[in-house]
Amino acid sequence: MSGASLERGLQALREQMDTPVAAFFSSCVHCGLCAEACLFYTETGDPRYTPIHKLEPMRRLWEQEYTLPGRLKKALGLARPVTDEELEAWRPLVYDACTLCGRCSLVCPVGNDLVYMIRKFREGMAAAGHAPEGLIGATTRAVKTGSPMGVTLKALQAQARHVEQETGLEIPFDREGAEYLVLMSSMEVINYPEYLAAITRIFHRAGKSWTISSEAFEATNSGIQIGVSDIAAELVQRVVDAAEKLKVKTVVSPECGHAYMALRWEGPNLVGRSFGFEVKHILEVLDELRREGCLPLEGQETVRMTFHDPCQLVRRGGVVEPPRNLLRTVAAEFVEMNDHGTTNWCCGAGGGVSANEEADELRLKAFHRKKRQLEEIGAEALVTACANCRIQLEEGLEANEMEIPVIGLTELLADHLAAAEQESGESS
Amino acid sequence: MDAAELLLWARGPGLLLAVGIFLFGMLLKLAEILLLGRERNLAPVRASGVGAGFRTVFRRSFSMDRSSLKTSLFVHLAGYAFHLGLLAAIFLYTPHVQLFGALTGLTWPALPSPVVDLLTVIALVSLMALLWHRLTTPVLRLISTGQDYLAWALSFFPLLTGYMAYHHLWFDYDWLLAIHILSAELLLVFFPFTKLSHAVTLFMARWYNGMMAGQRGVQS
Amino acid sequence: MKKDAPLIELLREYGVSRRGFLKFCSITASLMALPPTMAPAIARALEQARRPSVIWLSFQECTGCTESLTRSHSPTVEGLILDVVSLDYHHTLQAASGTAAEEAREIAMKENWGKYLLVVDGSIPLGNPGFSTIAGIPNVEMLKEVAEGAAAIIAVGTCAAYGGLPHAAPNPTGAVPVAEIVKEKPVVNVPGCPPIPVVITGVLAHFLTFGRLPELDGLGRPLAFYGNSIHDRCYRRPFYERGQFAETFDDEGARKGWCLFRLGCKGPITRNACATTKWNNGTSFPIESGHGCLGCSEPDFWDMGGFYNAVSEPAMESGTAVAWGLAGGALAGAAAGLLNRRERKAARASHQRVTVDDLKREE
């Protein structure tokens, strides 16, 4: 049988129920505090956006199939079954109004990891055919063309040639035995070619060998956003195959939050084995280079700079200190927003929301949280490390007529790279 | 049936029945949760999650999100007041300490009765305020189920009847005591089968949350 | 002694002064929670009262109740009142025995039919009529016979009131209290093991003064004497409030006179006048002597979970319930848990791979 169906969705959910889920649902006392942690609620005041409410159909299925009182209720015909209509009604809550940012998981008094459950709920929603059009399109493109935005290898190669001309440095494709395999996100290829130029210059300056695979350059993973582990695994497998074929030591996730999370934390679990290489975010690599002394920087920015934490990188990824260590070296006036680090507020477009046109209006409303945060500290420049965040931030700032430049941290560092002492001695 | 008979039943067969059902239900509940199982994490961890898990179990009782604290100061205050009052009334009132001593063989110091009395009043007032809050806040009205109100009543009545018995309010003490004990037994009986059991399962929830975050190097 | 002389004259003959008599009347009034202005009324009524005929039946009892009334260390007004009532039948106290004694009872019943007071101490065995008989008459039969002509019945002592010791589990004689046999007549329960003497005479005084029985609580006890708990009136109550408890009978707390709650005092759930009237001519009451209240004026006080266990402790051994709960929970939990696990595994085993072509419904 192919095609989505309610039964396939419910079966997918049955697979997803595990001990943590049961512990979480058992513990929720409906205190409502998760609402205050969710920017979709705080920026709209719509109670339907309360995180635990977004999980209600899944909770009922758990209760009816995995608890004794629930089984009894079901046997007596007192339990309301989960229906297609209900799942369809929940689609905007689960996909449009959740960026998987995980702030609710951090504040829940009983310790429920709500986003862990939303991620699982999406498995059921997708298998039941209730994923949003935009995400289905992105996922289909990712599987069929290799990029959710339809970016082809040719487009990347064209951009690489352009960067090579600009920097006078080589961009090595498919070089076996390189230390780093650099991945890209489609958004960077399309919107931020500066990133590729920046890492080319940095790796060159640091004297590290690196490469790009022509077979797997896309780091993002729509399978995770839409909530289909089978597809997510397929996308991860492409990277694993390329990395192992080229025998690289480290795969470098680009400036993208969920790409890092997908590869670093979900990846081995999706493909069912640990990798023969390490996965690092570009900021982790840069911070290591800085510590090793391979990243000589000079000059400082004098404007009031702040850092927007990409949720999947920081709260859900654990890369908290590297961006700060790096930014402090080049920013004379680095100010933190009031909620930052693991308690940051999402930009409003993560978790597949940016690929989902139905959520366009809502995500710009959600941006108001970031707007207030920026205004509170009077930021003059906003640095981040996620292309997806960056687009949303730029759009949001523009919509609110705020003149604050948004800068990728890697580019900023590349701009402050100290001039090489023996330029003439360098060959490649 | 007179008060003395009811009291004797409550202190005897009623109590044993309630304790038996409570233990039965809790073991059932915990087994249902724990035996479900979960997938082993294959991603190389930054740190063992065990320490982080225990840290979160402890810290979630105190750590608060600044932004939510600002917007929901009331829930935080009333929530703490209610929980502390309830815990003090249950575990630090002399007759209760005596009961736990008889049931488990463990005893601990109790608080002076007037202090428990005051904390009970605070808990009662907080509970009423929280009910009002639940009935009037859009978010809570949307997410609240019958079970939330049942859990509220099951927590409220032992406190109320205990308070009334202590102060000999309106009814004979013997009746109040009997009804108080019965209401507490009702709480025990329902505990494992309603969300009242969060008092136990929240330690698991926090542990998994903290453990999974800890493996990623995040203090949850 | 003239049989129908007013009570006051008889008391005078016993050397009770008018002042002593009035004092008794005001104590009785205050005990019964009557306004002080009622004392003269009680005095007037008692002065004029004729000696009522009293028949006292003793069934399954220990004579402690009678002892309590008669063994006061000095003659008391309440003792004398009892002396001066026409105690026509009391097989412990009367001089007559055998057939003569039973004849005295029958004569008294016949002469005062419908007017005499019946006082009962001891419980009535229903298990086998032979368990307790008087002159070959089973207790239950004699009670029914005498109760029929009584104006009112007073069940003195916890055995008569609630079954008492004979009724304690497993109740081998099938003992029952008076009120379970006599349904059609008012029965006043004056429980206690034994009851306070002045409470017995107070009830008599009330009957003599007002011609009716005092107001009773749900357990048939005169509210005037049983309205408050021992705990409410206990002089050690402040220690309870402060959380100062004796942990053993010879520790510092016990010597300092701290609260005996933890040593099993049943004061909080026992209603009686001990803490106010006290015993032995107002000398003291058990708690004052360093021992917790046993709760002797309450039904089933023998079976209330042990004299030395606190009120809040279980009244039964909890081990079996705990064991059953744990064993049942472990078994049911293992079954339900493994079922959950199997269902989850089955769902995973029958996993259908989801591809991009499966994301939409087939229309």
Side-chain angles (χ1 to χ4, degrees):
Chain A
M1 188 186 77
S2 78
S5 70
L6 177 65
E7 196 32 55
R8 284 190 78 170
L10 296 182
Q11 193 68 3
L13 278 179
R14 286 183 192 110
E15 290 178 47
Q16 292 298 322
M17 306 290 185
D18 59 7
T19 292
V21 169
F24 297 151
F25 279 139
S26 297
S27 300
C28 176
V29 289
H30 286 164
C31 71
L33 284 178
C34 50
E36 299 294 342
C38 177
L39 78 175
F40 288 98
Y41 171 73
T42 63
E43 302 316 302
T44 64
D46 188 338
R48 291 180 310 139
Y49 297 152
T50 304
I52 193 69
H53 180 65
K54 297 173 190 168
L55 289 160
E56 181 56 19
M58 179 171 168
R59 187 199 66 79
R60 283 219 319 286
L61 189 76
W62 162 76
E63 188 187 31
Q64 290 165 16
E65 307 209 348
Y66 291 99
T67 74
L68 190 63
R71 283 174 201 266
L72 287 177
K73 266 206 270 183
K74 193 180 172 189
L76 294 171
L78 299 171
R80 196 156 57 85
V82 176
T83 62
D84 258 326
E85 293 70 40
E86 188 181 14
L87 293 183
E88 185 58 21
W90 249 257
R91 183 171 47 78
L93 309 188
V94 180
Y95 286 104
D96 303 3
C98 179
T99 58
L100 304 179
C101 86
R103 203 167 189 282
C104 47
S105 300
L106 202 75
V107 306
C108 172
V110 296
N112 287 349
D113 194 344
L114 290 135
V115 69
Y116 175 84
M117 297 197 281
I118 300 232
R119 163 73 181 83
K120 283 170 172 285
F121 189 20
R122 286 189 181 181
E123 293 276 339
M125 292 288 281
H130 295 292
E133 280 296 323
L135 262 178
I136 293 177
T139 308
T140 309
R141 283 191 296 279
V143 171
K144 295 195 170 158
T145 71
S147 151
M149 298 173 89
V151 174
T152 57
L153 177 63
K154 269 190 186 146
L156 176 63
Q157 283 167 334
Q159 196 187 85
R161 273 194 302 279
H162 187 77
V163 169
E164 281 176 335
Q165 278 166 15
E166 178 197 319
T167 59
L169 299 169
E170 187 207 346
I171 294 180
F173 272 81
D174 301 317
R175 181 167 298 170
E176 215 177 289
E179 188 167 357
Y180 297 106
L181 172 66
V182 168
L183 304 178
M184 304 285 289
S185 78
S186 300
M187 281 193 194
E188 284 164 335
V189 179
I190 294 174
N191 296 316
Y192 306 114
E194 309 92 282
Y195 174 74
L196 186 56
I199 50 171
T200 306
R201 292 172 56 208
I202 289 171
F203 277 129
H204 171 76
R205 185 71 178 80
K208 300 283 181 185
S209 62
W210 66 291
T211 187
I212 293 178
S213 166
S214 57
E215 284 164 21
F217 61 87
E218 177 64 56
T220 64
N221 193 319
S222 304
I224 282 177
Q225 297 179 329
I226 198 169
V228 178
S229 287
D230 290 333
I231 294 173
E234 190 184 332
L235 298 177
V236 168
Q237 191 65 52
R238 291 179 186 171
V239 174
V240 173
D241 289 344
E244 288 179 350
K245 187 173 161 194
L246 296 173
K247 300 187 183 68
V248 297
K249 277 205 206 107
T250 305
V251 171
V252 183
S253 161
E255 287 203 344
C256 174
H258 94 266
Y260 172 70
M261 193 276 295
L263 213 53
R264 172 70 175 88
W265 298 113
E266 282 214 27
N269 297 307
L270 287 168
V271 303
R273 66 177 175 89
S274 47
F275 302 153
F277 51 87
E278 281 189 276
V279 175
K280 285 180 184 159
H281 189 266
I282 180 67
L283 293 190
E284 288 181 285
V285 174
L286 295 178
D287 198 35
E288 275 172 17
L289 295 178
R290 181 190 62 85
R291 275 205 307 272
E292 285 169 26
C294 307
L295 190 67
L297 299 165
E298 62 181 15
Q300 287 207 313
E301 300 285 329
T302 50
V303 295
R304 203 171 162 78
M305 282 187 153
T306 190
F307 183 71
H308 164 76
D309 294 276
C311 308
Q312 301 303 323
L313 181 62
V314 180
R315 181 163 43 237
R316 305 299 289 181
V319 183
V320 188
E321 286 312 313
R324 293 171 166 78
N325 296 339
L326 293 166
L327 191 50
R328 274 193 202 99
T329 59
V330 294
E333 201 183 349
F334 168 47
V335 232
E336 293 277 21
M337 283 180 267
N338 275 330
D339 286 314
H340 63 268
T342 51
T343 61
N344 83 313
W345 288 93
C346 178
C347 63
V353 168
S354 60
N356 170 12
E357 298 85 7
E358 290 166 35
D360 279 352
E361 199 189 324
L362 192 57
R363 80 180 153 82
L364 281 174
K365 258 191 203 154
F367 176 78
H368 289 141
R369 172 59 77 164
K370 192 55 62 184
K371 172 176 178 269
R372 282 203 304 284
Q373 275 191 294
L374 293 170
E375 284 166 350
E376 271 167 15
I377 56 161
E380 290 164 349
L382 179 54
V383 182
T384 190
C386 169
N388 190 59
C389 292
R390 195 168 165 185
I391 289 185
Q392 160 80 350
L393 294 169
E394 283 173 354
E395 245 183 81
L397 289 167
E398 196 186 318
N400 290 283
E401 291 167 357
M402 294 166 78
E403 307 253 322
I404 300 176
V406 185
I407 308 158
L409 183 49
T410 308
E411 289 155 51
L412 183 67
L413 294 170
D415 285 349
H416 286 274
L417 215 49
E421 285 154 25
Q422 304 161 310
E423 193 75 43
S424 55
E426 301 274 328
S427 56
S428 62
Chain B
M1 179 173 277
D2 58 60
E5 275 179 77
L6 189 66
L7 180 58
L8 201 57
W9 189 87
R11 291 177 56 216
L15 180 69
L16 300 199
L17 202 63
V19 168
I21 292 174
F22 169 77
L23 291 173
F24 169 88
M26 275 326 285
L27 270 188
L28 173 76
K29 172 125 210 159
L30 294 178
E32 268 182 351
I33 296 173
L34 288 170
L35 289 180
L36 200 49
R38 67 184 192 96
E39 263 51 64
R40 207 159 51 90
N41 173 44
L42 299 172
V45 298
R46 280 194 219 278
S48 149
V50 177
F54 285 119
R55 263 202 308 283
T56 298
V57 166
F58 178 75
R59 281 188 31 168
R60 270 301 156 105
S61 302
F62 310 102
S63 66
M64 277 164 292
D65 172 49
R66 271 178 346 123
S67 297
S68 332
L69 193 59
K70 241 185 276 172
T71 47
S72 13
L73 188 63
F74 166 76
V75 180
H76 282 89
L77 286 180
Y80 272 109
F82 153 62
H83 278 97
L84 291 178
L86 183 71
L87 289 177
I90 293 176
F91 294 107
L92 296 176
Y93 179 50
T94 302
H96 298 166
V97 172
Q98 198 76 16
L99 170 65
F100 291 116
L103 283 174
T104 65
L106 301 169
T107 58
W108 49 84
L111 284 174
S113 307
V115 176
V116 178
D117 187 39
L118 177 71
L119 292 170
T120 305
V121 173
I122 292 173
L124 282 168
V125 171
S126 313
L127 261 179
M128 285 188 280
L130 285 167
L131 179 66
W132 170 81
H133 182 67
R134 193 176 278 290
L135 289 167
T136 54
T137 315
V139 165
L140 291 177
R141 278 174 64 131
L142 177 73
I143 64 176
S144 295
T145 60
Q147 242 200 58
D148 293 309
Y149 298 103
L150 175 69
W152 183 91
L154 288 169
S155 324
F156 186 78
F157 284 110
L159 275 170
L160 179 71
T161 52
Y163 179 80
M164 284 167 66
Y166 180 76
H167 290 280
H168 296 215
L169 292 178
W170 303 311
F171 300 99
D172 279 354
Y173 177 76
D174 321 43
W175 279 108
L176 285 174
L177 185 61
I179 289 167
H180 169 63
I181 294 176
L182 287 172
S183 67
E185 284 163 6
L186 215 55
L187 177 79
L188 274 182
V189 166
F190 276 96
F191 187 95
F193 308 106
T194 59
K195 55 185 48 194
L196 289 167
S197 62
H198 78 283
V200 174
T201 59
L202 74 82
F203 294 105
M204 290 159 68
R206 286 178 181 180
W207 194 82
Y208 283 118
N209 185 329
M211 185 267 292
M212 292 188 288
Q215 289 183 336
R216 297 182 181 195
V218 174
Q219 172 60 62
S220 173
Chain C
M1 182 162 56
K2 291 188 298 260
K3 214 177 169 186
D4 45 4
L7 191 60
I8 186 69
E9 276 175 35
L10 295 163
L11 288 171
R12 218 167 278 136
E13 275 175 40
Y14 277 91
V16 175
S17 68
R18 177 147 184 91
R19 171 189 282 269
F21 175 68
L22 287 175
K23 193 178 162 205
F24 166 79
C25 291
S26 60
I27 288 172
T28 305
S30 73
L31 269 175
M32 298 197 301
L34 299 169
T37 51
M38 285 305 288
I42 294 173
R44 252 195 323 278
L46 290 181
E47 274 168 359
Q48 286 159 13
R50 302 283 146 176
R51 302 176 67 199
S53 172
V54 174
I55 294 176
W56 186 303
L57 300 177
S58 298
F59 299 141
Q60 290 193 129
E61 45 81 48
C62 67
T63 319
C65 298
T66 303
E67 292 282 344
S68 163
L69 274 166
T70 57
R71 290 282 175 120
S72 305
H73 69 286
S74 63
T76 58
V77 178
E78 53 268 35
L80 289 174
I81 283 202
L82 236 107
D83 281 350
V84 298
V85 296
S86 177
L87 193 49
D88 292 314
Y89 179 86
H90 186 305
H91 69 205
T92 307
L93 300 178
Q94 70 194 143
S97 65
T99 319
E102 294 311 305
E103 268 173 17
R105 175 172 63 84
E106 278 157 25
I107 291 165
M109 283 168 61
K110 201 179 287 175
E111 281 183 0
N112 301 291
W113 189 257
K115 285 179 286 185
Y116 59 83
L117 272 178
L118 169 58
V119 179
V120 181
D121 68 334
S123 63
I124 301 98
L126 294 184
N128 179 332
F131 281 150
S132 175
T133 63
I134 299 164
I137 307 168
N139 290 168
V140 61
E141 242 170 74
M142 186 180 283
L143 175 60
K144 280 180 178 167
E145 187 190 328
V146 182
E148 207 188 335
I153 296 150
I154 303 176
V156 166
T158 303
C159 295
Y162 308 127
L165 172 59
H167 182 264
N171 190 2
T173 64
V176 296
V178 173
E180 259 181 56
I181 309 286
V182 182
K183 306 264 188 196
E184 65 287 350
K185 289 256 160 79
V187 175
V188 180
N189 287 330
V190 184
C193 191
I196 305 170
V198 74
V199 174
I200 302 176
T201 53
V203 173
L204 288 173
H206 191 282
F207 184 70
L208 295 172
T209 307
F210 301 108
R212 58 183 163 81
L213 294 169
E215 198 189 336
L216 306 179
D217 70 5
L219 290 169
R221 303 178 292 199
L223 264 175
F225 302 105
Y226 296 90
N228 291 309
S229 70
I230 302 290
H231 192 57
D232 287 340
R233 295 278 178 258
C234 182
Y235 75 104
R236 296 197 188 197
R237 179 70 179 264
F239 296 111
Y240 174 86
E241 304 296 352
R242 285 201 291 271
Q244 292 175 310
F245 297 94
E247 306 286 340
T248 65
F249 282 109
D250 58 353
D251 69 356
E252 189 65 17
R255 277 190 286 277
K256 284 184 174 161
W258 287 356
C259 177
L260 300 167
F261 178 87
R262 291 192 139 177
L263 290 170
C265 180
K266 301 293 182 295
I269 54 165
T270 304
R271 286 159 184 274
N272 210 335
C274 301
T276 40
T277 56
K278 305 196 178 177
W279 290 78
N280 301 323
N281 238 4
T283 306
S284 68
F285 70 114
I287 293 171
E288 217 170 340
S289 313
H291 192 287
C293 167
L294 299 183
C296 75
S297 56
E298 296 296 323
D300 296 315
F301 78 102
W302 288 96
D303 295 319
M304 284 207 285
F307 291 158
Y308 300 101
N309 291 335
V311 174
S312 58
E313 287 178 33
M316 284 166 84
E317 181 52 48
S318 56
T320 341
V322 169
W324 275 107
L326 288 177
L331 219 66
L338 291 173
L339 191 64
N340 280 354
R341 196 185 184 80
R342 219 183 59 190
E343 283 183 19
R344 174 166 177 266
K345 284 206 168 143
R348 295 175 73 81
S350 64
H351 175 78
Q352 263 185 293
R353 200 179 144 76
V354 180
T355 68
V356 285
D357 301 321
D358 298 324
L359 297 176
K360 286 186 183 173
R361 293 293 177 101
E362 284 187 336
E363 301 301 333

